[in-house]
Amino acid sequence: MTDATLEQRLLDRLGAIGPVAVAYSGGADSALVLAAAVRALGAERVVAVTAVSESLAAEELPRSRRLAEDLGVVHLTPRTEELSRPGYRANGRDRCYFCKSEVLDTITALAGEHGYEQVATGTNADDARDPHRPGIRAGRERGIHTPLLDAGLDKAAVRRLSRAWSLPTWDKPATPCLASRIRYGIEVTPHRLARVDRAETAVRALLADAGLTVTDLRVRDLGDTVRLEIDSWLVDRVAAHPGIPLALAGAGYADLPHHVEPFRSGRLNMET
């Protein structure tokens, strides 16, 4: 299927949905859904809703706000309370189900208050094939629309179309919620989430000062140790950088040993 066909299918799908609230994280997928909704419906019939909680990295909200403003849509930023859900705090392999349930319930209620009965997410065709996506079930139970999936767009197609539309998110690395950095079975707490956020921010800043361009970076909280995952070509240089222990210690990991390894997406899903 050509990209032109995929593009038209996406626009047709959103046109059929009608006025819509987009669950907008600021990532490549939801940004494309938001831009496509504006093209299909007009900015006045679209609202972007970004859930704000301890699990959202601090630098993500300003970025998402800028794109929403550029697209001319109203941008709502409700507070969500994932940590109020025991299933989320327990951090089992179904954690994302409880997270998405909280986020989508909040977004749906707020959208309704603003006159929007339909809600769409950025779930793509690759997501639906991933066996570690319990959050998708939460969306299906609530009748949430998945226009990328319905139109057959996988991640590669999302990036190609986003680039063709000059969206700044076309090459944005995946930015899953901060809870995804905490090993399953270790309780998710505000302290752990904030510590991960501080550590990733500090390491990125340190490497930027050293002139190193980083694409993928994760600080994994493994309970009794910390694993810093970085682009494979940077592993040796980052492991040898004298500022890394200080950056991690300053973020709150002073008492835990750390090691540096190549980044692997979804790695905690593959570990016991």
Side-chain angles (χ1 to χ4, degrees), residues 129-147:
R129 290 189 288 266
D130 187 336
H132 301 290
R133 295 279 182 164
I136 292 178
R137 175 163 58 94
R140 288 172 176 161
E141 290 175 356
R142 291 160 173 79
I144 303 299
H145 295 284
T146 54

Side-chain angles (χ1 to χ4, degrees), residues 56-80:
L56 180 69
E59 63 184 12
E60 291 302 310
L61 186 57
R63 292 175 179 174
S64 64
R65 181 180 293 117
R66 284 194 295 271
L67 180 56
E69 290 175 349
D70 289 343
L71 292 171
V73 300
V74 172
H75 186 207
L76 306 177
T77 55
R79 178 75 186 183
T80 53

Side-chain angles (χ1 to χ4, degrees), residues 194-268:
R195 188 167 60 171
V196 167
D197 193 17
R198 289 194 302 268
E200 291 189 356
T201 299
V203 172
R204 283 189 182 277
L206 182 70
L207 298 182
D209 288 344
L212 300 176
T213 301
V214 178
T215 300
D216 291 303
L217 184 154
R218 300 285 189 275
V219 171
R220 309 285 194 192
D221 185 336
L222 307 180
D224 56 356
T225 187
V226 180
R227 184 169 66 224
L228 173 56
E229 295 182 17
I230 196 79
D231 305 301
S232 58
W233 68 275
L234 283 173
V235 168
D236 291 341
R237 297 183 68 177
V238 171
H241 195 298
I244 294 295
L246 294 175
L248 293 174
Y253 290 110
D255 298 329
L256 295 179
H258 77 275
H259 51 288
V260 183
E261 296 185 12
F263 166 76
R264 285 178 60 194
S265 178
R267 184 168 177 180
L268 293 182

Side-chain angles (χ1 to χ4, degrees), residues 3-26:
D3 285 352
T5 299
L6 290 172
E7 176 180 345
Q8 192 57 54
R9 289 181 63 172
L10 177 60
L11 294 175
D12 289 345
R13 180 71 189 106
L14 282 158
I17 292 171
V20 65
V22 177
Y24 169 55
S25 67

